[in-house]
Structures are given as C-alpha cells and as structure tokens.
Amino acid sequence: MAIDSLVLGAGQEVGKSCVVVSINGKRIMFDCGMHMGYTDSRRYPDFSLISNTGDFDNALTCVVVTHFHLDHIGALPYFTEVCGYKGPIYMTYPTKALAPLMLEDYRKNMDRRGEDEQFTSDHITECMKKVIPVDLKQTVQVDKDLQIRAYYAGHVIGAAMFYAKVGDAAMVYTGDYNMTPDRHLGAAQIDRLQLDLVITESTYATTIRDSRYGREREFLKAVHTCIAAGGKVLIPTFALGRAQELCILLEDYWERMNLKVPIYFSAVRNFDRSLINAPGPCVLFATPGMIVGGFSLEVFMQWAPSEMNLVTLPGYCVAGTIGHKLMSGKPTKIDLDKDTQIDVRCQIHQLSFSPHTDAKGIMDLVKFLSPKHAILVHGEKPKMATLKERIQSELGIPCYCPANNETVTVPSTHYVKADASETFIRSCLNPNFKFSTYSSVDKSYLDSKYSKAASGLQVSDERVAEGILVVEKGKKAKVIHQDELLLMLGDKKHEVQFAYCFPMHTERLQKTRTEELPSADTLLCDLDKCTLINQLSMKLSNELSDANILDLGEQLQVESFRVSICSKNSCPHRLSHSVHNDSESVFLCCHWSLRDEKLAWKIISIMKSSSPHTT
Amino acid sequence: MKFTCLSKGGGFHFSPCHMLNVSGFRILLDCPLDLSSLALFSPVPVAHQAHESLDTDSVIRKKQKIEKTLDANDLVHAEPWYKTVKNLHLWDASFIDVVLISSPMGMLGLPFLTRTRDFSAKIYVTEASARIGQLLMEDLVSMHMELRQFYGPEDSCFPQWMRWEELEVLPSELRKIALGKDCEELGAWMPLYSAVDVKDCMRKVQTLKYAEEACYNGTLIVKAFSSGLEIGTCNWTINGPKKNIAYISSSIFVSMHAMDFDFLGLRGNDLIIYSDFSSLDKNMENDDTYFDPVTSSSGRDDVSNLEEMAASLLKDDESAEEIEKLVFICACALDSVRVGGSVLVPIDRLGVVLCLLEQMSLLLESSSLKVPIYIISSVAEELLAFTNIIPEWVCKQRQEKLFSGEPLFAHVKLIKERKIHVFPAVHSPELLTNWQEPCVVFCPNWSLRLGPVVHLLRHWCSDPNSLLVLESGVDADIALLPFKPMAMKVLQCSFLSGLSLQKVQPLLKILQPKLVLFPKDLSCKIQISEANMIFLFSENETLRIPSSKESTDIDIATDLASKFRWKTFKQETITRLEGELFMDHGKHRLLSGFQPANSKQQRPLVHWGSPDVKVLLTELSKMGISGTIKQVTDDAKSEDDAKSENAAAIIDIHDPEKALIDVRETDHIKISIQIIHGREFILYT
C-alpha cells in the first residue's frame, strides 16, 4: 500500500498550488490554483497528467480547495467548466462565499489587461454551484471509504487544512496556514492525528519572524511619515485577507492619532478615478495584490514617479509580478511591456505581513503531527532544501520537496484486521506485572561507582503476550487468550513435570536422630522434617535473594518448584546408584514444571552444595 | 448495554430523557425542563388580587374538596419552582460519564445537574444549540427574576405550597401537574438556578459541529447529525468498540430554517434508539395515517431503491403544509390588525418565529398597513444577530443566500428598515416612546406565566379584536385561567415537531439497523414488519440489550504482524502475540511497543495433546538418547484396544544418563532425571 502524490503546481515554487494524491484507490486533488507570474499555458497546472483522455470524473474522487486565494483556486472554473470536471468539490463556507468575488475581481482585471479570457463570469457561477461547503471539523464522508475533514488554518478567512483518510491510511494537506494569531484571525488548530503523510507549505522555510508589534509599528511609522509629508500611500492587496488586517490596524492608529487623511478601499465599490490625482495625502488599498495588473497597476503607474509617495507591499509577491521586481532590489525603471516604461521614484516599503507561518511554525506543526513522511510545497527551492534537511535531521521524518509534475510515493499504514475474544481484551485490561532484577553488568563495569545503582528491580507489564493469534483458512483471524486455545483446538493441556530425588547428608541431624531413634528414617518425626526444611529455607533465602520462598512446614515451594523429604523406600525418581548409605542421609524429593527448569537446577545445586556428602 | 427511558417528555419544549449504559459508560440523553407545569403558578398581577379575595368561603370550599370549575384563585400564589425530569433525581449525578444534548430545549435543566457537587460528566452539545440554549436559560433566569421581585425571596427551602395539606386541597387538574399521575413527581420540583449556575454550566459544555467526531475516553466516538427540528438540534451516533448506536430525537426531513434531517449520516449503526414521541402529542388528529401498505409492499432492497426511498422521504410535502400554516396565522393576524386589534404571539420556537417574521412583514407590506412588529425579550437582539451568522446550521435555501451575499434571514433588513423593533423588556424606555397600537408582538414565554406576555395579555385580554396565537400542546384552559374572562380571540396551532409515523418504516429500511428500540406507546400505532429485532421501551423501565457482536475488532500493525513466528497445525496457524494493545478512537490497536530484553525468556509455554510414546522414543533416539518402554500401565480397557500408544507408559532412559519418563493418562509427563545434558525435548502431539 502506498500514497502517491503528484505535484502539479507549487512544486519548488509559489503559485498554482495543485497536488493530486492517490490513497488506496482514491484520488484527491488538493487546490486548483493559477500562477500569477505567467500569462501563457504555464499559469494553469498541467491537468493532462491526471488523465490523458480528459475523463477527470473517473480519474478524481474529489477536489478540495483550502482557501480563496487565486494561487489556490484560480484554475478551478477553468478545470470544471473548460476541462469538464463534474465531480464533487469541497471548500469551507467562507471560502465558498468569498471565492466568486476573488475570481470575478481577477477576471475583470485580466479583461482590462486585454488578455484572452480563460473563463467567463458564467463559468464562475456554474463552477461555484458544484461546490459542497463543509464546516470546520465536520467529518465528511465523500464516499464509502474516503473521509475528509477541515481544520482551521488561520491564513485568511475560511482557510483550512484538510485531513483525508482512506481505510487505514491518512494524510493532511495544510494549504497555507499561520501559526501565530493576529488581529482578525486565530492561529491554526489541528488535532493530534495518526498520519502517513503531511504536505505542508513552506513559503517562509528559513525565515524566523520577529514580533508582530515591531512589524506593525514599522508599517505605521512608514505610512505616517509619508502622509505627514503630503504623500500618497498605495497598498496593493487582494480584496480579502491582509487588507482587513491592515484596515483594522490603520483605523486603530487613525483614531489614536486623530488623523483625518482619507483611507480608500478600491475593491469594495467602483473607485472614483478622479480621486487618484486629487491633491493631498491619502491611503489607498487597491486590488489586485502583487501589482499584477488591474487597478493597482493603474494607480502605481500614476504614483510611482513621485518621491513623496509610498508603495507598501504587504506579504509575498510571486516571481514575475511587478511587486516581486520592486521587492528584489530598488529598481528605478520598470518595463511593463515593450512600449511602456514606468519611472519608479517613490519609496518602497516591504512588510512581512504575510499570513504564512514561519520556519518555526512549520517545524512546530510537523513535530506536532509527527507524520511518517512529509512533503514540502509552495516555497522557494533553496530554502525548501534547508528546511527539508532540518525536518529530516531534527525530527527524523523523511521529507521530500518535489518539483512540478513529479510524483512522490510513500508507503501507507495498513492494519491486519482480527477479531479479539472478550477474555483476551479483559486480560489486557488487568495489570500483569512481572518483577525481575536487572542484568546490568556490561555497561556498569566501565564505571565501578555506578555498578550498584544500575542493578535494580525491573518491572514489566506484558499483557499482550497471553494472547494468541489464530488464522484458519477461510476465516477471519482471531485473537484469543491462551486459556481459550485448548478449548478452541479441542485438545487437553498437558504438563511437563520434572522430578528428582537425591540424598542429602547432614551430620548434625544425623547425630540427633541416631541417638533418639536408631536406624529408622521412616520414623522421622514431623518436627525433624520441619527443622530440616527450615534450615534449607534459610539457606535458600540467603542465596536466592529475589526468589519468593514459601515454607509450608513439610515442604518448600519456590514458584512451581517443590521440595520435600522423601519418606518412601524406593522412590521412582530416585536413581539407584546414588544410594550408598541410607541410614545416614535424608532424601529430598523435588518436583517442578518445565517453565521453572533453570530455577530448579539452581536450587538443587545450592542444596547439594550445602551438604558435604553430595554425590 | 442497558437503556432506561426516564421520561418520554411532552411536546416540542420538553424533550424525552434517557439513560444509557454503553461499554461501561453511563450516558444521559438530554436534560430538559417541564415548563408546561409552570401553569400551576399564578403570574404576578393575579397574585395581588388573590390575597384580597382569600376569604373563608373559598377556603372551606377547598377543604370540602368540592369540585368546581377552576378559577384563577386555585393557582399557587408563590414564586414558581421548576419541574425537572421526574426520574432523573433518583440517579446519582456523579456517576454520569457523558451527557448528550440534542436540542436547546434539551439543555434547560442542565444547570441543575452541573451544579451538583460531584458532577464530572462530559457534556456534548452542538455549537448552535449551546448558544441558543444559553440564551434561553439566561432569558428564563431574567424573567424569573422579575417574578421574584414581586414575591420576595423565599424564607425556607421548603415552600408553603409544597406542604401536603396545601397540595391536598388543590383541584385535581392542578394536583396532577404538581404531583404527576401517580403522585410521585413532587421530588422533581426545584427552585430555579441562578445566572451564575448558567454561566458555570456553559463552561462545562463541549461544543461540536455537525458530524464532528468527539472521542470520549478513547473508547466512545460521538457525532451529532442534524435533525432538522430547529437550528442546532441533532441526532447522535455513539460508536464504541462493540456497539454502534444511533439516537433519533424528534426530526424533520425538510425544514424551512434549520439544516435538513441528515438521516444518511445515521446509516451503518446496529442499534437505533427511536425517541421521537412527537406523534403522540398530535391528539390523533390524523388517525388515518397508519403506515401505507402500498409503500411497504414494494420491498425491493437494492441500492437504487434505497436511494429512491431516501429521495422520496425528503421531497414530501410537509414543509409546504407548514408554510400554509404560517400564511394562515399571518392572514388571521392581518384580520385582527385591520379592525384595530393587536396580535400577541408568545411562541418560543426560534425557527417558527423567524419564518413568521418574514411572512408577517411580507404580508403587512403588501397590505400597505403601517403596523409595527415588536419583539420583546431580554435576549432577542442577541438571538436575532446570532441566527444570521450561522450559515453552517441553516437549510440549503438560506445557505444559498450567504453565497449570493444576502442575509440568511430577512429580519436583519427589516430591523434596519425599522419595520421590526427589538426591545429587551416591556418597561424599556425605547419601547415606551415607540409604542403604537395596533401592533404585532412576539415575546416569551409560551407558558403564559413568565415574561412580557403576562403584561400584554392582561392589557389585551378584554379586547375582542385582538388575537392571541398559541402553540398547540399548551393546555389553554389552565394557561388562560389568570386572564379570564377572555374576550380576546385565541388561535391555537400545531407546528410540525417530529417525524410522522408513516415515515418511520421507510426510514428504518434505509438505516437498516439490526435492533430497534421503540417506544411502547407508539408501537400500537405502527407495525414494523421488518426483520429488525424490536425492543419496546416505556418510562422508568430498564432494558438490557444483548451484545450483537461476540468479539471485538482489533487492528494489528503490519510491521508487527510480519514479525510474528507462526506455528502451523493441521487446520490453523497460530502465533503468540507481541507488542502493546492500544485503545484509540474506539478501536483496539496492537502496535509494536517497547520490548524488554529478557521478555523472550519469560514466555509461558503451553503444552497440549497426549504424546505418542513410540514417536517420543524415536525422536529421543535421534538426539542420541536411548531408552526402552518399560511398562505400559494401563487399565483393561485400553489393553484390548490396539491403538493404545497414547496411553500411559514409562520410558527408561539409559544413555547418556539414567532417567525415567513417565507418561500418564492424566496428561502429565513426569521425567525423572539425574542429570540431563541435552534437555531439548521435542514433544509431539
């Protein structure tokens, strides 16, 4: 059994997240995103790798979308309406409610940019009709075998990590997540699960971020300085997510500082374009983020040439976008296309307000979930390699970071099913302690000081060992308790017992005996027997400190080993040649069962050594 | 498994209550309050009059037990107590392990439990039920506080009206409320919990989403599935290692407000506890709704048929009927308003109220009458706001509104347009400035004993143009007693509050349980002809349900299983188990665990069968041990028998050392040895 993960997008890059995972015959597509940096066929995942014939309905069990960002959902209308996938699609309620707004916003921007339309407004509506909303933590039975469940991811409103389980194999696809709470979202939450695989994002694979307050202060300071000087502040964001966070932050600050400078938000209503060049300072949130085009580009072209103005880039910018160019260095000129060139003189402020987890967060999550394997996606190749090394060395979890269109195969858990009997289960509920002393010699010899400390009592509580697994042809495997085995086999138990009778010579006893009752060891009185046994018991307890010796008057018992004085003249267990002088010695008759064989011989040798006249 | 029905409840507001024993855990299903018994008490305004008219005449009449028609003076004039489930107080609350709450109404009695000293059970409630339930409880507490201000604090913990002399002179109808049919329910009365108790109770509650798995003690997995009755109400599945149980509370297939009855989620359970008593309360109004022989005769059990059946259950016209009811109520209200009367709607069913608000304002708008709608309740504002942020809990059509950017319920818009006014209390200043009659008022409480309804009813009861809309199930005679003489019109209507009996049969067919627990009271009305084993239950009677599975499922990790050393016999292969047994999410798992080094030595050996002496001898000789069979000590019977090799024998070993092997009939082998060097015997069976 294995889990195959085909990475169609976001493999060693950020953009067009799409992973197709096959578990036990089920195929799930996680996310269906588009790449913001490309305008050609590379912007969509290569769906032909899922099915050559284009029969996606049979090739996929379901599609799961983690959140409404375009690099996670952008290709969905294309996949359902143009490629013709008709199967179930799952996303959380907020994602379903907000996704069409994001897609529509993007489509309009593409329109304005004059690109060929990949999907229409109707496509978006039709596509969203196929979406089945799920609640967080709700266990959704996709079909008889496949179960999925969403967990709060804290990346944007409605963002979720998804857990999928088929049979005994289980995995988690995190999507984008954030491990630290911020002003409007909490930190990601997930249960401790038994997982074979975790596919996690790794946008900030090596970054450890400083405190939120520091970053916020820095951002507010930059904005305040700019507007105080009469400049305009452009914040290119996507309509939802960071925009809300920054709005809350700015509003708070405005109130505290009693600022009256207007804050505009262009995504909500059609923005009055005359305000762009209205005199005086202002703050403008413009969509789309990363300045990929549309209104934010329009405003950027107008504001960029002035030194007074400020462009703040919150969060991550995908390679190929203007945002990315601005962030990677301080360009003075940006070529938009062959004919247009933008003069960039404005200030650029970069914020790490991205709601992605940092390296510590990724490590924490992977450690918490401790899956058997991990796959990194949605990050930059060199950083991912570093993180991969850390996960492998620090957590001991095999980790992979496949490139696009590569497949990673990991083994999956499989359990053998059996029926367990009531007796077995009950016996496992009861403690079954066994005490034994350490055999702790080898290591402690090195340091003689600790040799004593190392030896001690060892407690083992092995309960399962009383169980026996029985497999019969054509029947389900059965686990029974050992006591039930014979009943099941229809056979009787037999015991293997050993017996040994040997003479023992004790002079002192001999003397007393001969004085009082000459030549009659058949007449040995009970008292004498007891004294002998008593002496033996003392002797044994000196030698065997950890054994539980029971003195039962006429006999001694250690585990199953029993010894008593043999009063018969011819004991069958006595071997004739050892008998030399009956009158002088007593015979000790020993019985024990097979399991205490070693112990028995040890005791016998002790007893023999105690009498000077052993054979 | 053991099952005890503590109470079959009564109507929408008083859910049934059961106690369940599964896998050694005690589970309480619901913990409601019987608010209908509040009818025993007199609401405040009458109490005042009553003290004046307590003349000797009435006292004498009472003592002589002359039955007469009830009047307001017969009611108990005291701070009301509240009646909990009658048999619940007989159980020790500290022994309850889990409480499952299936509706907001089902948690009204919960603070009584949670405030007991040793109560430690885990309480599972759906998120929406918990919120709504909390608001209902807070409202109850605040309404009660108002009454308390009139009566003053109680002196003793044992109120006057509970004395036997007082109870004895109560008219029979009221005595039945106070004591129950068999005079055993007096112990169920409790003084109301406080706001602190409610807060404390909510802190102990664990909220769940629909279909969220909650694991209790690693053994039981409980899941809530929508029941369609009300926002947040649910049915439960309880999965233990040996039992899969589905608990069906009052459910509605297609709802106008709440998420539909998710019966498919209940599939695959061996046992179904059917606890929808709603058809009992219907007063036999549709006696002809015995189950339809036509539907049951088409008993093909293939999958497509099941799907068809599921679809047919869902598309029934019950919801259409409900809409008609609402329209009718609105029409009646409109008639009253037209002639200058006001309409009082003391209905406490959240879903119904929300739909009624929409209908009513629609109708008022179309009739171009400028009549305000007031909602008066201490928690109304919160409740209305809450209902608009819970798309996960409402029906499909309303979810669609979320996706098209509209509010889930129209009241948001109506409040904004000032067509609906929300006030916390009758005496709130905004109400006094805005008040205008005729009007339509929605307010608690349906018992007509608590809350704003008391004041308004006093105000309008003599107005023949006004209209009072009551839920059915309220005993109107007793409920209206303090307000007599009533000139006001009264419209009493029943709302759908559970499954209809003719749908039980097809539902069980889809769910395919092995066992069904069914109420005895309902069993006469329906025939369940299926192969399902049926247990009938009635109140306060413990049923023992035999376990359906003899063995428990156990999962063995493959890596562990591959390490086992197998031994093959004629038919079966056996191996001794290793590893550690875990209990996780209701499943037994055998995983490879920590192995002490000396574990192998301590393995107990089991020998069985009777050894064949000759085979034993040859095996021994192979190992270089020679001996002879010395003596066959057998009784006469086996000497005749040719195949007596298995009988007792003694083998003499001479080489390498002297020894004796004694094989006996009693399945013992005794080996006498002096010194044995090669002690490895292979004993054949």
Side-chain angles (χ1 to χ4, degrees), chain A residues 135, chain B residues 103-104 107 125-136 138 202 207-210 230-233 257-258 350-351 354 357 375 378-395 398 402 406-412 415 422:
Chain A
D135 203 354
Chain B
S103 67
M107 69 186 290
V125 194
T126 62
E127 242 169 48
S129 277
R131 186 77 192 113
I132 295 170
Q134 185 188 4
L135 290 173
L136 289 183
E138 283 170 359
M202 293 316 292
T207 58
L208 298 177
K209 311 257 190 187
Y210 281 145
E230 187 58 270
I231 292 170
T233 59
H257 39 88
L350 182 60
L354 292 176
L357 280 175
I375 305 173
S378 60
V379 293
E381 199 177 341
E382 249 177 293
L383 208 51
L384 291 175
F386 177 70
T387 50
N388 251 310
I389 54 162
I390 44 166
E392 298 90 341
W393 305 89
V394 299
C395 63
R398 294 191 190 272
L402 166 82
E406 291 170 55
L408 303 174
F409 290 94
H411 61 249
V412 180
I415 291 171
V422 183

Side-chain angles (χ1 to χ4, degrees), chain A residues 157-185:
Chain A
I157 292 166
M161 309 194 228
F162 273 89
Y163 164 80
K165 185 182 175 204
V166 187
D168 299 323
M171 61 157 302
V172 160
Y173 176 84
T174 65
D176 295 353
Y177 61 99
N178 191 6
M179 297 289 278
T180 46
D182 59 30
R183 274 165 193 271
H184 77 304
L185 295 167

Side-chain angles (χ1 to χ4, degrees), chain A residues 93 135 139 414 416 418-420 422 462 465 467 469 471 482 486 492 494-495 497 499-500 573 575 577 597, chain B residues 209 211 242 399 552-554 556 558 573-577 603 607-609 667 669 671-674 679:
Chain A
Y93 280 88
D135 203 354
T139 309
H414 181 69
V416 180
D419 279 338
E422 187 67 21
E462 212 176 321
L469 182 64
V471 182
Q482 59 186 16
L486 298 174
K492 282 183 196 160
H494 80 231
E495 247 174 71
Q497 271 203 346
Y500 181 49
H573 311 306
L575 295 154
H577 71 91
E597 209 192 343
Chain B
K209 311 257 190 187
K242 291 180 82 173
Q399 283 186 2
T552 320
D553 285 332
I554 188 166
I556 303 168
T558 11
T573 325
I574 66 162
T575 178
R576 191 175 280 281
L577 291 178
R603 282 288 146 73
H607 304 266
W608 67 87
D667 298 317
I669 303 178
I671 307 173
S672 326
I673 334 113
Q674 193 182 20
R679 277 193 307 268

Side-chain angles (χ1 to χ4, degrees), chain A residues 67-85:
Chain A
H67 63 282
F68 58 67
H69 277 159
L70 288 173
D71 60 331
H72 293 262
I73 200 176
L76 191 65
Y78 176 79
F79 186 52
T80 60
E81 303 312 307
V82 182
C83 299
Y85 171 73

